[in-house]
Amino acid sequence: MKKTTYTFLFFITALIGCKSETLETHIISTPIIAKAASVQRINTEAVGQKFAIATQGDHSTKAALQMFSMGGNIIDAAIAASFTLAVERPQSTGISGGGFFLFYEAKTKKTYAIDFRERGPHLVKENMFIDKNDVYQKSRSKNGILAVAVPGLVAGLFEIHQKFGSLPFEKTLEPARQLAENGFPVYPNLSEALLDRADILRQDPSASSIFLAKDLKPWPVGHILVQKDLAASLRKIQRKGRDGFYKGSIAKALIQLSKKENGLIDQMDLDNYHVRWREPLHGQFHGYEIFTMPPPSSGGVHVLQFLNILEKDNLAKHGIFTAKSIHLAGAALQEAFADRAQFLGDPDFSKIPVKALISLPYAESRRREISLDRARKANEVKMGNLQHYESSDTTHFSIMDDQGNAVASTQTINGWMGAGIVIPGTGIVLNNEMDDFTAQVGTANMFGAIGGKPNSIEPGKTPLSSMSPTIIIHDQKPLLSLGAPGGTRIISCVAQTILNYLEYKLPLYESIASIRYHHQWQPDILQIEMPGPTKIELKKLQDMGYEVSLSPVGCNVMAVAREGNNFHAVADPRDIGTSASE
Ligand code: DON
């Protein structure tokens, strides 16, 4: 079914809704489509009965589709999409990166949360990015070899495939290998990333030879980007699985580069890399069961915290883009991010008060701190007192199938083009995930996020993430699988999409395409996507004391929903993602 039909159905539903509701108590929500989402793109939405896929690329969606048509299962499709994304979006993810993978297995009715995020090399020091004058050297955690954390993607995908895949592992990598071998035209977002990172890429001969032209200018839109070395690396992983990356020539080239550049990663780090199978976080919103990523993601904790704080407000009765609703949601995000800065980090290294943070009594106490008509300044919003409640450039894709399985996975090399360096002879762009650690308590990382002691740099530790793959279950079946790239904004975007779908009852497309807002406590700004709410509501927000910035929020949601007998996939129309179904 086409998007226009959905929009039409939505308005019909809204009209019917108007008749059956008392208008005084229930203002029907009208979406305001974000300017960035109003560009007509092809294949962003798909509806089918066997399966549905939404990824942030065209080739990646097709790779997943190909696995299903070869008789593969949802995991084969997810692995194929992951490796193809690593080729198609070298600015966002890659085989030197890491990620989180949420899998609801119908057979066992169990949700798995798999953490294959990068870890701190064993030789790191807490103050490694602080100079002798106690100044944080920001570029060192973003560019070059010291920014690189131990990659986890290949280990994670291999292990997941071993446990749940059905086709031979080799086959799941083939679409990615072919894409790297044959190339694809550079698209605007990739070209923008290359331009943005050109100065860093220029300093590395391996990166320059792939991503820059002979005159060292970034490839323009339309240039066919061929990644022959990456194709050869994928071939090695096809043949050797995990060992193809963590041992042998790729590992050797990485260690040699690390030695030459005075980096820290060595073979011991690669040998000791372990995928962590974690217990997903579980919460409820209006009776829907929400399963999401636990620490070392902060995403799941704060998505649940946000929904808990707002559940009793029944925001739908105030209308979706009224000053009141935006204020309450913005204030809830402000509180969540204040807690993030204080409490979140790797649970294998510090005790993270997760239970308290996602408990209902704590949410109620936080909600009581929000006044109905006044914004609070960042210095008025402190992290909460948990004592009473504690008893003891990235990418995302979502897939669902008619067996009742669902996958939500977010993967990344962190910033655009990661650390801006490539392992010589391999075509592999290295991540800059070290920047997600708190280099110095109180200073911000590249997403402006302030971190606390639990996220300090330590050997073997996982840097705190905002990636929030989430699966919502209803009637014992997956209802919605979603997630997003976008740094700290991921949390706001995933939380709001859930709110739009479950609270405001918008159709999936409108839940994703509507304007979004983001508040991360510090900086003390309420960001709202253009065109923003109506002038009247905007003025009310400013009168409450918000500094509002009408600017892009910068994240893209990919989601699949089960709607009756159909699966409905939507790739955020703000970007080049596509959906497919059968
Ligand atoms: O794990 C995190 O939270 C970040 N490394 C994600 C980076 C990201 O989403 C970049 N996209 N804008």
Side-chain angles (χ1 to χ4, degrees), residues 302 306 321 326-327 329-337 340 447-449 466 485-496 515-530 541 546-555:
H302 299 308
F306 171 88
F321 294 125
I326 297 177
H327 160 57
L333 287 172
Q334 201 182 20
E335 291 185 324
F337 274 95
R340 183 187 191 277
F447 302 105
S466 300
T488 44
R489 283 125 1 185
I490 294 172
I491 297 173
S492 310
C493 292
V494 169
Q496 265 165 73
I515 51 167
R516 299 187 181 122
Y517 39 87
H518 173 66
H519 200 309
Q520 63 177 51
W521 176 55
Q522 290 193 32
D524 195 359
I525 292 167
L526 176 63
Q527 224 182 326
I528 309 182
E529 253 185 317
M530 286 160 295
L541 285 164
Y546 282 107
E547 182 181 338
V548 179
S549 156
L550 278 184
S551 51
V553 167
C555 67

Side-chain angles (χ1 to χ4, degrees), residues 3-187:
K3 183 196 150 331
T4 39
T5 323
Y6 270 102
T7 315
F8 174 71
L9 279 180
F10 164 70
F11 281 113
I12 294 291
T13 319
L15 282 176
I16 296 166
C18 272
K19 280 196 175 150
S20 58
E21 301 280 346
T22 345
L23 273 175
E24 295 82 61
T25 58
H26 197 143
I27 300 165
I28 296 300
S29 303
T30 311
I32 302 176
I33 300 302
K35 204 168 155 204
S38 57
V39 181
Q40 200 67 41
R41 296 189 201 275
I42 43 168
N43 300 335
T44 52
E45 194 173 21
V47 175
Q49 298 196 327
K50 280 196 184 157
F51 57 79
I53 307 157
T55 84
Q56 216 183 345
D58 188 30
H59 297 281
S60 309
T61 298
K62 285 186 181 134
L65 203 55
Q66 199 182 329
M67 295 302 114
F68 279 123
S69 58
M70 284 163 66
N73 65 15
I74 192 169
I75 295 297
D76 299 319
I79 304 298
S82 302
F83 280 108
T84 308
L85 282 162
V87 177
E88 187 172 17
R89 300 193 65 88
Q91 74 275 35
S92 316
T93 180
I95 56 182
S96 101
F100 297 139
F101 195 101
L102 219 61
F103 173 41
Y104 176 82
E105 190 188 33
K107 196 170 68 184
T108 52
K109 297 202 182 312
K110 186 173 159 57
T111 305
Y112 293 87
I114 304 128
D115 161 10
F116 48 91
R117 187 159 164 78
E118 302 90 326
R119 324 271 181 226
H122 73 101
L123 292 174
V124 296
K125 295 267 183 318
E126 183 171 350
N127 292 328
M128 63 189 273
F129 299 124
I130 311 297
D131 70 12
K132 54 181 184 324
N133 299 318
D134 209 26
V135 177
Y136 167 30
Q137 295 300 312
K138 290 190 173 171
S139 90
R140 295 176 76 200
S141 66
K142 292 175 187 62
N143 307 316
I145 197 75
L146 285 180
V148 183
V150 185
L153 195 99
V154 175
L157 297 178
F158 183 67
E159 215 166 293
I160 292 167
H161 184 268
Q162 278 207 313
K163 190 163 163 73
F164 302 113
S166 73
L167 293 173
F169 183 64
E170 192 179 341
K171 288 215 157 56
T172 64
L173 274 83
E174 191 51 22
R177 195 198 62 74
Q178 282 182 18
L179 185 65
E181 183 79 44
N182 301 327
F184 59 88
V186 169
Y187 47 89

Side-chain angles (χ1 to χ4, degrees), residues 394-396 410 467-469 482-486 490 493-494 555-558:
T394 307
T395 193
H396 176 87
T410 315
M467 296 189 290
S468 318
L482 79 165
I490 294 172
C493 292
V494 169
C555 67
N556 301 294
V557 171
M558 263 56 62

Side-chain angles (χ1 to χ4, degrees), residues 470-490:
T470 299
I471 294 175
I472 299 176
I473 307 286
H474 193 53
D475 291 338
Q476 301 207 352
K477 280 190 236 145
L479 174 79
L480 182 63
S481 159
L482 79 165
T488 44
R489 283 125 1 185
I490 294 172

